[in-house]
Amino acid sequence: MAAQEHMASADGPPKVSLFNDPKIRGLFYQVLLIVTVVWIGYSITMNAATNLAKQGLANGWKFLGESAGFPVTQSLIEYSAASSYQEALVVGFLNTVLVGVFGIFIATIVGFTVGIARLSKNWVVAKMATVYVEILRNIPLLLQIFFWYFAVLRALPSPKNSIEFGAGVFMNNRGLIMPKPIWEDGAGMIGIAAIIGFIFAIGFSIWAKKQQAETGKQYPSFSIGVLAFIGLPILAAAATNFPFTFDMPALKGFNFKGGMKVVPEFVALLFALSIYTASFIAEIVRAGILAVDHGQTEAANALGLQRGPILRLIIIPQAMRVIIPPLTSQYLNLFKNSTLAVAIAYPDLVSVGGTILNQTGQAIEIIGLWMAIYLTVSILTSMFMNWYNSHIAMSER
Amino acid sequence: MKRVVLPVVVGAMLGMTATAANADTLDDIKAKGHVQCGVSQGLPGFSNPDSSGNWTGLDVDVCRGVAAAVFGDPEAVKFSPLSAKERFTALSSGEVDILSRNTTWTMGRDTALGLNFAGVNYYDGQGFMVRKSLGVSSALELSGASVCTNTGTTTELNVSDYFRTNNMDLELVQFEKADEVVAAYDSGRCDVYTTDASGLYAQRLKLEDATKHVVLPEIISKEPLGPVVRQGDDNWFNIVKWVHFAMVNAEEMGITSANVEEMKGSGNPAIRRFLGVEGSFGEKLGLNNDWAANIIASVGNYAESFERNVGPATPLKIERGVNALWSAGGLQYAPPIR
Ligand SMILES: N[C@@H](CCC(=O)N[C@@H](CS)C(=O)NCC(=O)O)C(=O)O
């Protein structure tokens, strides 16, 4: 019966009514769903727009040029209370990027180390790594941030009793205070030398790889790269007769004046974010390594390779293909979790934006800006990681 | 098929009802049976929960007064603890009916945020608290200090302006929640804690050793604190406004929670009107005529509320000062009920 019916509809026009045709019915529900979603979206937007207009809210970006009036504890650019709201937002954004970039860097190193350590044959090392992962990933991040912040604050002395490291470096409960270099004429040479060193390092490593592929000869390209990147600027500085002086910090009244400072809020947030995210990365790395067939290790052993090179040259590169996609999510998590900054007074984009929102009442604009910026940075990160993933996938030989 | 249709219908219904909310606050409140009141997350004397979750304070009394006026029951209130940053959004979005949370009446908030301030139940000003061991006696000696405060308040701008006008350096450390400000100040992150003077007296009680800290004499701003409602519902605005005025008028006329019943027999026509024995003032608010009598019977007059929550006999030990009645040289003044 069923087969017959099927045959009939295959060569002739369908005998079933339009109502019961699964294709049309499916299409109908899809269209209905889309129309409803669009309609709901439309009415919510219109509703919000009318209410906002009625209350006189959301009236454009004019406020960005007005003077902010409040200072910020950490700023990578020149900023004072007399600067504009726009500059305040840039300061907040740079602070977010700063903690995000350093956080991702540290979390990656710690995460890979702990992940590899969990697979160690040494019982103590493996157990320690397990304890690290289980404790850190099971405590809410906000609590960890508070813990480190107040632990750091309680442990450090007041400015008057600062710990002195010599050479103008001090530590107290206001932060880590260091001499600040003041650049003079000719200092640009040092920067140029650093850029040349960097380009040389990259070029050399590409060349060394090619040489190795063609001739099998190996070069210490990493050490040479680092040497060029650090050595060239030093040479340039010596050649231009060290064109900088230092602004030395000095205790004056309540706090140190002069120099530059790393605030405790930054340290606590960076530390908490990195070691929390590292616990997840460790698990991802462990899973990635376990996903590489054991035959690979055996084959490498048979070639007489040592444990270190096996891990570095055989296992990790293959594990990376499994690791990268979930690693990307962890990077994005870290970046988004950095918005918890406001709890411990780190002036990130959300904290600074919140102050502006409160002072101006421009809720819609500020929240829209937050969403646009976090979305953009997250998408850029994903795009980069996807590119990197396909890059290492292609180099399969 | 059921699986597709149900979410669609629910979604459609949500979309429609969203438009209908907040038309008439008084009707809404009567329908749900309580007033939803936005308060702080714990500020002794103003709005603070005790160990059994019972809220008390000067700001809490405003909400209890409104509940007494509407329902004849000061307990018909539910409280929403809000951080400084959340408070206005909570009010605008209809999450709370009144915001009574040591909130300063400023022009910006009154105009740009779509809100209405229903009077001033505490005249305040911003002050500074420091450790006694610093040996500081004036705010003008604070150049270079690290100052802790709350984000989302009037305090950030006041303190920056003050330091700028006096050519002093400032490191301003801004926390989202008041408890973190207290903890950071207590652990030495800051030399100075700045907020409303009343807030300083209240938060000082939370420090490890309150006696080691002193509030400096300078008051650097005007902070008239009062209850807030949404713009666009005039009757509700009137109710909240007149609850506060009723408490002040009662103090002026000598009506207290103890003598309110007895006062109903008074020959003074102003008192008779106030207590609803004569006239129909309650009806004009959409309430019963004994609205004010209910407030005084349950919450007391302004003086009673002040003495009970923040006065000299409480841990806050605040004098009436500018918050005395106008007739006693203070600023508390209510239009007559007539
Ligand atoms: N009156 C000021 C400040 C109000 C404010 O939030 N003060 C803080 C510090 S005293 C507070 O009430 N904290 C208590 C809490 O957040 O629960 C304003 O309206 O902006």
Side-chain angles (χ1 to χ4, degrees):
Chain A
M1 252 304 261
Q4 241 176 353
E5 231 176 60
H6 185 74
M7 295 273 287
S9 63
D11 35 38
K15 297 229 168 65
V16 283
S17 82
L18 272 183
F19 230 41
N20 285 331
D21 184 326
K23 251 203 199 134
I24 300 209
R25 230 166 78 170
L27 197 69
F28 171 74
Y29 282 126
Q30 304 251 12
V31 170
L32 186 72
L33 185 68
I34 292 176
V35 168
T36 319
V37 168
V38 169
W39 178 71
I40 291 174
Y42 174 78
S43 48
I44 288 176
T45 319
M46 289 317 283
N47 192 2
T50 346
N51 284 337
L52 290 171
K54 209 164 67 193
Q55 301 188 349
L57 300 177
N59 41 25
W61 300 98
K62 272 209 312 283
F63 72 98
L64 282 179
E66 290 162 21
S67 132
F70 60 91
V72 171
T73 42
Q74 176 188 305
S75 170
L76 297 179
I77 57 171
E78 205 59 51
Y79 176 87
S80 77
S83 306
S84 67
Y85 283 129
Q86 187 174 330
E87 285 167 290
L89 285 168
V90 173
V91 168
F93 173 69
L94 291 177
N95 286 343
T96 291
V97 171
L98 185 74
V99 80
V101 168
F102 274 94
I104 285 175
F105 183 72
I106 299 175
T108 308
I109 293 176
V110 176
F112 271 75
T113 314
V114 175
I116 292 169
R118 268 200 92 172
L119 295 171
S120 165
K121 293 226 164 60
N122 182 324
W123 188 85
V124 178
V125 170
K127 277 289 166 283
M128 263 165 50
T130 309
V131 168
Y132 174 94
V133 168
E134 291 308 336
I135 290 185
L136 286 169
R137 72 170 177 177
N138 287 317
I139 298 177
L141 178 57
L142 186 59
L143 290 187
Q144 296 195 30
I145 293 178
F146 281 139
F147 176 80
W148 293 118
Y149 184 53
F150 288 110
V152 165
L153 282 189
R154 298 249 166 211
L156 292 171
S158 70
K160 282 207 180 65
N161 307 315
S162 297
I163 306 170
E164 196 176 342
F165 295 105
V169 182
F170 299 89
M171 197 159 78
N172 55 44
N173 57 17
R174 306 295 154 79
L176 178 67
I177 298 130
M178 295 169 289
K180 179 175 161 188
I182 310 279
W183 304 107
E184 286 161 11
D185 286 350
M189 283 309 292
I190 302 177
I192 293 172
I195 294 172
I196 293 176
F198 185 70
I199 294 174
F200 174 80
I202 302 266
F204 186 78
S205 93
I206 293 174
W207 177 83
K209 250 207 187 121
K210 225 168 118 195
Q211 282 293 308
Q212 193 189 350
E214 281 168 11
T215 66
K217 214 165 141 42
Q218 287 190 12
Y219 294 89
S221 60
F222 185 75
S223 326
I224 290 184
V226 170
L227 205 68
F229 182 56
I230 296 178
L232 275 183
I234 293 179
L235 279 181
T240 48
N241 204 10
F242 299 101
F244 49 81
T245 54
F246 285 103
D247 176 20
M248 300 301 271
L251 186 63
K252 211 178 145 237
F254 299 94
N255 275 318
F256 278 84
K257 235 180 128 83
M260 56 186 189
K261 184 159 84 172
V262 184
V263 291
E265 291 79 32
F266 174 74
V267 178
L269 183 68
L270 177 65
F271 194 68
L273 279 177
S274 339
I275 65 170
Y276 173 78
T277 313
S279 68
F280 291 90
I281 294 182
E283 283 299 273
I284 292 170
V285 169
R286 186 172 71 111
I289 292 176
L290 289 178
V292 178
D293 193 87
H294 192 59
Q296 298 282 333
T297 317
E298 285 167 353
N301 272 330
L303 287 176
L305 280 175
Q306 300 277 308
R307 237 186 102 70
I310 294 179
L311 201 60
R312 199 157 39 84
L313 299 172
I314 314 270
I315 309 295
I316 300 269
Q318 297 186 69
M320 279 317 259
R321 288 165 210 157
V322 184
I323 292 175
I324 294 286
L327 187 66
T328 310
S329 309
Q330 289 308 323
Y331 287 175
L332 299 181
N333 279 347
L334 186 144
F335 183 68
K336 288 178 288 182
N337 284 339
S338 73
T339 55
L340 292 171
V342 64
I344 57 161
Y346 178 68
D348 77 330
L349 183 63
V350 170
S351 165
V352 172
T355 306
I356 298 176
L357 192 162
N358 179 262
Q359 282 183 15
T360 60
Q362 309 276 2
I364 303 296
E365 289 84 353
I366 297 283
I367 293 172
L369 200 73
W370 278 337
M371 296 204 296
I373 290 179
Y374 280 95
L375 194 65
T376 311
V377 174
S378 293
I379 287 177
L380 288 179
T381 313
S382 306
M383 274 165 55
F384 172 77
M385 293 300 281
N386 287 344
W387 168 82
Y388 183 63
N389 197 21
S390 60
H391 174 76
I392 57 173
M394 271 191 321
S395 63
E396 202 166 351
R397 256 177 275 152
Chain B
M1 180 169 141
K2 241 192 204 147
R3 261 185 299 152
V4 186
V5 173
L6 193 69
V8 169
V9 170
V10 171
M13 271 164 25
L14 282 178
M16 279 187 303
T17 48
T19 341
N22 305 327
D24 186 328
T25 316
L26 183 59
D27 284 350
D28 283 356
I29 284 170
K30 283 186 174 157
K32 65 185 174 188
H34 68 265
V35 179
Q36 194 73 38
C37 175
V39 289
S40 78
Q41 291 161 320
L43 187 64
F46 288 82
S47 44
N48 203 29
D50 64 17
S51 49
S52 47
N54 203 1
W55 286 83
T56 56
L58 196 70
D59 287 344
V60 165
D61 281 353
V62 173
C63 290
R64 294 211 186 279
V66 171
V70 176
F71 297 107
D73 174 11
E75 299 298 322
V77 195
K78 287 191 180 159
F79 294 97
S80 305
L82 300 168
S83 79
K85 209 169 136 186
E86 298 158 348
R87 59 187 154 170
F88 299 117
T89 324
L91 180 62
S92 319
S93 65
E95 203 183 302
V96 297
D97 305 309
I98 312 176
L99 179 69
S100 186
R101 188 208 172 282
N102 50 310
T103 297
T104 306
W105 184 350
T106 67
M107 180 170 175
R109 290 172 177 177
D110 203 354
T111 55
L113 296 185
L115 306 174
N116 274 333
F117 282 79
V120 178
N121 68 335
Y122 189 93
Y123 287 94
D124 207 344
Q126 185 172 339
F128 298 104
M129 178 162 67
V130 296
R131 284 178 189 73
K132 280 183 184 159
S133 61
L134 282 181
V136 171
S137 58
S138 156
L140 292 168
E141 299 164 26
L142 292 179
S143 184
S146 299
V147 180
C148 280
T149 192
N150 261 95
T151 50
T153 63
T154 48
T155 57
E156 303 113 295
L157 205 56
N158 289 335
V159 68
S160 328
D161 286 356
Y162 182 78
F163 274 65
R164 268 163 83 192
T165 20
N166 290 300
N167 274 322
M168 305 194 295
D169 289 331
L170 167 68
E171 183 188 48
L172 188 61
V173 191
Q174 311 175 37
F175 294 84
E176 180 165 26
K177 299 231 160 96
D179 283 344
E180 268 81 80
V181 189
V182 175
Y185 171 73
D186 221 4
S187 61
R189 174 65 182 92
C190 291
D191 305 298
V192 185
Y193 182 171
T194 186
T195 187
D196 302 341
S198 65
L200 291 178
Y201 290 113
Q203 303 290 27
R204 182 162 64 172
L205 303 173
K206 296 185 188 163
L207 296 173
E208 262 166 28
D209 185 354
T211 59
K212 290 207 170 116
H213 302 266
V214 40
V215 176
L216 298 177
E218 282 87 354
I219 294 293
I220 63 165
S221 70
K222 291 188 287 187
E223 307 286 333
L225 313 180
V228 200
V229 296
R230 278 180 295 280
Q231 213 163 291
D233 185 346
D234 288 354
N235 188 50
W236 181 242
F237 178 37
N238 284 341
I239 291 175
V240 177
K241 193 161 57 179
W242 280 95
V243 164
H244 170 63
F245 287 155
M247 290 173 71
V248 176
N249 273 322
E251 179 184 358
E252 199 175 334
M253 294 189 281
I255 310 172
T256 65
S257 54
N259 70 10
V260 57
E261 283 309 315
E262 178 190 326
M263 281 292 202
K264 282 183 181 163
S266 155
N268 180 338
I271 294 180
R272 295 176 69 82
R273 275 199 300 273
F274 182 88
L275 295 174
V277 187
E278 268 172 32
S280 56
F281 287 92
E283 275 168 32
K284 284 162 193 145
L285 288 173
L287 304 175
N288 294 334
N289 283 331
D290 59 359
W291 65 285
N294 285 336
I295 302 172
I296 308 307
S298 50
V299 183
N301 66 29
Y302 183 74
E304 289 177 270
S305 175
F306 193 100
E307 298 305 330
R308 181 172 63 232
N309 295 306
V310 298
T314 68
L316 276 83
K317 296 190 179 54
I318 300 177
E319 298 290 335
R320 278 298 284 272
V322 286
N323 286 295
L325 286 185
W326 64 287
S327 47
L331 292 172
Q332 286 295 351
Y333 184 105
I337 294 186
R338 126 162 32 116

